């Protein structure tokens, strides 16, 4: 899939992995609607991107993905400005075991909500033109992180939802590919404030911080490069791509017969 002229929506686009995804999509000729709950960061990133790529190539839309109304408004604004949606990157996420219901709401429920809303515009069965949806899961979507069981559950949920949607799309002819990216530790703000987000697992904070301090971390650009492969390679559907410092790997899962 060539990206030139394609229209992408990226959630959690104002910083970290979402910002890197946005910049890479723009570098490859796509136009991007940046959705983020952080207005200050979103607006200042928009100013930077205007200088690099031109004002007409991006929209910043202040949007909390927990709100159905705000997502709906963001999609309407994107369609009104760019005319279509070809790519959705569900990337917004938090790690907060204390506020575990909010973690489920943002990391999993919002991915489902945003995906279903995007389908209304992208699904070939209902007049859309198809496209690709890539969800940012985590290695915590493939195996357990003992310091954050709820975060682990949400990311397993994202991997399962992505794979089931890919199968549903193939069966029903939506013309939409669904893939998940599963990075290991990435240098972003999410990990810098981890210790006070572990709630009842805060006794594991010291051990967790030691692991993080000892591990080589991925750069956001390495994650974005792999995500781009899932967007552009039309053979990839229903994939979970693990990305670690020592390389990337497409995961295999048991097959139901
Ligand atoms: N940093 C890491 O080591 C890893 C992160 N991930 C996942 O990558 C994704 C991005 O994380 P990072 O870039 O590291 O985090 P980050 O904290 O640097 O950026 C997250 C962005 O999402 C936005 N956001 C948070 N809640 C939102 C909401 N309700 N509505 C709209 N926007 C919201 C924030 O304002 C922020 O701009 C998350 O889904 C995270 O779980 C996955 C694997 C590893
Ligand atoms: C949330 C960060 C917890 C880090 C502590 C931990 O348990 C690390 C586990 C690593 C293990 O040593 C080998 C790995 O590759 C693990 C990395 C796990 C990826 C964490 C993804 C973090 C995220 O999604 O934010």
């Amino acid at each position: 899939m060539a990206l030139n002229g394609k229209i992408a929506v990226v959630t959690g686009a104002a910083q970290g992995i979402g910002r890197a995804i946005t910049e890479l999509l723009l570098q490859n000729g796509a136009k991007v609607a940046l959705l983020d709950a952080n207005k200050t960061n979103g607006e200042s990133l928009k100013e930077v991107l205007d200088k690099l790529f031109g004002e007409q190539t991006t929209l910043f839309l202040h949007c909390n993905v927990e709100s159905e109304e705000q997502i709906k408004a963001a999609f309407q604004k994107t369609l009104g400005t760019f005319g279509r949606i070809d790519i959705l990157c569900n990337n917004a996420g938090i790690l907060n075991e204390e506020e575990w219901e909010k973690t489920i709401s943002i990391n999993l429920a919002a991915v489902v909500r945003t995906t279903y809303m995007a389908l209304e515009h992208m699904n070939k069965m209902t007049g859309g033109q198809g496209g690709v949806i890539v969800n940012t899961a985590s290695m915590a979507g493939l195996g357990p992180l003992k310091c954050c069981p709820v975060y682990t559950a949400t990311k397993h949920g994202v991997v399962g939802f992505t794979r089931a949607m890919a199968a549903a799309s193939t069966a029903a002819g939506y013309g939409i590919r669904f893939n998940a990216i599963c990075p290991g530790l990435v240098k972003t703000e999410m990990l810098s404030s981890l210790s006070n987000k572990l709630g009842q697992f805060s006794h594991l904070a010291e051990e967790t911080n030691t692991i993080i301090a000892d591990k080589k971390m991925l750069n956001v650009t390495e994650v974005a490069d792999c995500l781009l492969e899932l967007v552009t390679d039309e053979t990839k559907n229903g994939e979970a791509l693990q990305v670690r410092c020592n390389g990337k790997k497409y995961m295999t899962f048991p097959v139901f017969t």
Side-chain angles (χ1 to χ4, degrees), residues 11-19 21 35-39 41-42 62-67 70 90-95 102 105-107 110 136-140 151 154-155 181-191 217-218 220 223:
T11 71
Q15 68 177 39
I17 295 171
R19 176 178 176 157
I21 294 168
L35 276 51
D36 205 290
N38 188 326
K39 195 163 185 269
N41 281 358
H62 184 216
C63 172
N64 179 349
V65 293
E66 289 181 278
S67 159
Q70 291 181 28
N90 283 308
N91 168 76
I94 62 166
L95 193 166
K102 193 177 164 85
S105 170
I106 295 174
N107 291 11
T136 309
S138 161
M139 272 180 59
Y151 182 80
T154 62
K155 294 303 184 178
I181 187 141
C182 302
L185 297 167
V186 190
K187 246 178 269 158
T188 70
E189 264 182 39
M190 179 180 266
L191 295 184
M217 290 210 201
L218 288 157
V220 289
V223 179

Side-chain angles (χ1 to χ4, degrees), residues 82-101:
F82 295 134
R84 52 190 279 163
I85 297 169
D86 304 293
I87 300 161
L88 169 65
C89 299
N90 283 308
N91 168 76
I94 62 166
L95 193 166
N96 194 326
E97 294 296 312
E98 186 125 45
E99 294 185 37
W100 62 267
E101 283 163 313

Side-chain angles (χ1 to χ4, degrees), residues 34 48 51 113 122 164:
L34 293 76
V48 173
K51 291 192 188 105
R113 183 180 302 114
M122 296 170 72

